Amino acid sequence: MGVKGLFRRKQVDSNRVRAEGHHQLAKALSIPQLIAIGVGSTIGAGVYVLVGTVAKEHAGPALTISFLIAGIAAALSAFCYAELASRCPSAGSAYHYSYICVGEGVAWLIGWALILEYTIGGSAVARGISPNVALFFGGQDSLPSFLARHTLDLFGSEVVVDPCAAVLVFVVTGLLCFGIKESTTVQGIVTALNVCVMLFVIIAGSYIGFQTGWTGYSVSTGYFPFGVNGMLAGSATVFFAYIGFDSVASTAEEVKNPQRDLPWGIGLALSTCCTLYMLVSVVIVGLVPYFALDPDTPISSAFARHGVHWAMYLVTSGAVLALCSTLMGSLLPQPRILMAMARDGLLPPFFSDINRKTQVPVKSTILTGICAATLAFFMDVSQLAGMVSVGTLLAFTIVAVSILILRYVPPNEVPLPSSLRESIDSVSLRFTFQEGAEKAEDIKQLSLGGTSDEKDPLLVKEIYKNKIDEEKRRKLAALSIALVVVGVLILTASASATFFPSFPRYSACTVGGLMLLGGLGVLSYIDQDDGRHSFGHTGGFICPFIPLLPILCILINTYLLINLGGATWGRVSVWLLIGVFVYIFYGRTHSSLRDVVYVPVAHADEIYKSSQYVA
């Protein structure tokens, strides 16, 4: 149970859930709904601010290329998610994939980090809606008293409470309890309206730009005023504008045809966001010189400079719609992650209960809403916003590692319940006897030299040699994956440690780089595991450019993780430490894998058939 328990892995097939008597989520989603979830969760109000901040401080007119590079970096993770989502179409997203490929310990930390991400993310989004809504009433002081922010004296300190944020969280929570089809329909409408606002910005802005001669570009001091480094720094900043497409993967169990629809949903959602971001940035930087952009309201102020003052209300409407859609996208995945963790025994069974009528985890959804509303009401969570990025980047990183494991060292054993012990022993004994008899016969034929109607002695030798070579290949592949991960950590940590003296820093970078390249070289040279063809649900999306693509994904996400800052990591460490204690005192002892028996994949079907025959 000790350290070994951290590496126990569960089965892929979500049919296991049915066998254990759990109610199922509704199969109601197809490609249009998945695109709505992905786009709605990704395009938040940040784009209405990021355009001005990044252009003015980092990229200048090259902001469009910054968005493109960040989109390509996000696409690396999207490719990994697309394959795993189609192979393992169950609720839980990155938690589910890491539990199958890496082990229970890592899966628990990922699930625990995602809980923090979605709770704080939803609260932060809700807190940002009320200032935008107040603009329609003429300012915060003009809001109705039951929605306006108030300052209260609690425990000797002043706290600014936000009733509007809490009300919006409860409204969205109620909507999510009605059912996945109903909630995604509303999210689709809100997202479509937000996209219409962005299309207005693009079309109307282009018209003004052609009328005025694109003054923003004509007066700029070149396309790269901050150099290539500034453009890349802008890419690192706007990368977080692409976070959200992973919400699509969390609904995998509710998709009608996951092998086909999930990859399309993830890919089209990310492509739509990237296209809109790039077009908006092209227009706004062209209307106003980058150095004159208002960092707080770049889009509405750009139109105001050209006399279109009424556009401010339209842009503000877009920001409110974007925030509402993002709020729905933040509260949708968390109940499903809690449900998946409870199904696996790592959390109390309360969280895994699915309402028979609406076919959604109502209890988990209500609890999620209460927690998010409480935070949004009492706390200014903007200071904690960096913690949202930790959960997402950790998930992106572990999904890329899972792809490497799936391709090179997929699990060759599956856990079966101890109740099947009789069938397991019977089938295992039969296979052992059969293999022993075949081996004895082969040895006999080898000693006799064989005959024309018997096995070729050379072929027998080749079979045993291949078995030994396969074991060596798996060990070498596992070592190479570990080498890549450690090399990336050393390289990114030393590259980011600018306070260190140059010599030890560059030495560490060299060591880390050599480890990374060595692991990449070995993985590129050796063959991938044949078991990958039958792993999980086949016939879906296959991630290209293995092993280069997932390794690049690991490198980029680890670099961004390390550069989030010490204060953010300090807060996250406290949360993760709490998670460790929860796992030690509850999850470890209640895990559904605590009493399982691991058997070779080749034996599993025969054991199930045998147990059904006995029953």
Side-chain angles (χ1 to χ4, degrees), residues 6-26:
L6 299 175
F7 296 98
R8 53 194 177 193
R9 300 187 281 193
K10 68 176 183 178
Q11 274 182 285
V12 176
D13 203 340
S14 59
N15 288 331
R16 176 180 62 85
V17 177
R18 294 186 183 89
E20 293 173 357
H22 291 286
H23 297 302
Q24 289 297 289
L25 299 171

Side-chain angles (χ1 to χ4, degrees), residues 116-289:
L116 178 71
E117 172 199 338
Y118 289 123
T119 302
I120 292 182
S123 304
V125 168
R127 224 27 216 207
I129 293 177
S130 56
N132 285 281
V133 172
L135 293 175
F136 292 106
F137 292 88
Q140 281 283 355
D141 297 335
S142 303
L143 268 176
S145 58
F146 68 93
L147 293 178
R149 289 181 175 179
H150 301 283
T151 302
L152 302 179
D153 188 5
L154 295 175
F155 307 108
S157 60
E158 291 187 348
V159 176
V160 178
V161 297
D162 192 337
C164 182
V167 168
L168 286 168
V169 171
F170 282 128
V171 169
V172 170
T173 301
L175 178 62
L176 292 173
C177 289
F178 272 105
I180 187 67
K181 191 172 183 180
E182 291 76 9
S183 61
T184 51
T185 299
V186 173
Q187 187 175 19
I189 293 170
V190 173
T191 301
L193 292 173
N194 180 34
V195 170
C196 287
V197 172
M198 297 184 76
L199 289 175
F200 164 79
V201 171
I202 293 165
I203 295 170
S206 298
Y207 175 78
I208 296 172
F210 282 114
Q211 292 290 317
T212 59
W214 298 102
T215 54
Y217 292 114
S218 60
V219 301
S220 296
T221 56
Y223 197 71
F224 298 93
F226 298 97
V228 175
N229 288 336
M231 180 196 68
L232 293 175
S235 297
T237 303
V238 301
F239 176 82
F240 297 101
Y242 289 98
I243 289 176
F245 69 85
D246 52 314
S247 297
V248 176
S250 68
T251 63
E253 200 171 314
E254 295 156 286
V255 179
K256 294 176 183 176
N257 186 349
Q259 279 69 48
R260 182 197 67 188
D261 294 351
L262 279 169
W264 277 108
I266 293 171
L268 289 174
L270 188 61
S271 301
T272 301
C273 295
C274 185
T275 303
L276 290 171
Y277 287 159
M278 291 175 65
L279 291 175
V280 168
S281 61
V282 165
V283 169
I284 298 305
V285 177
L287 291 179
V288 180

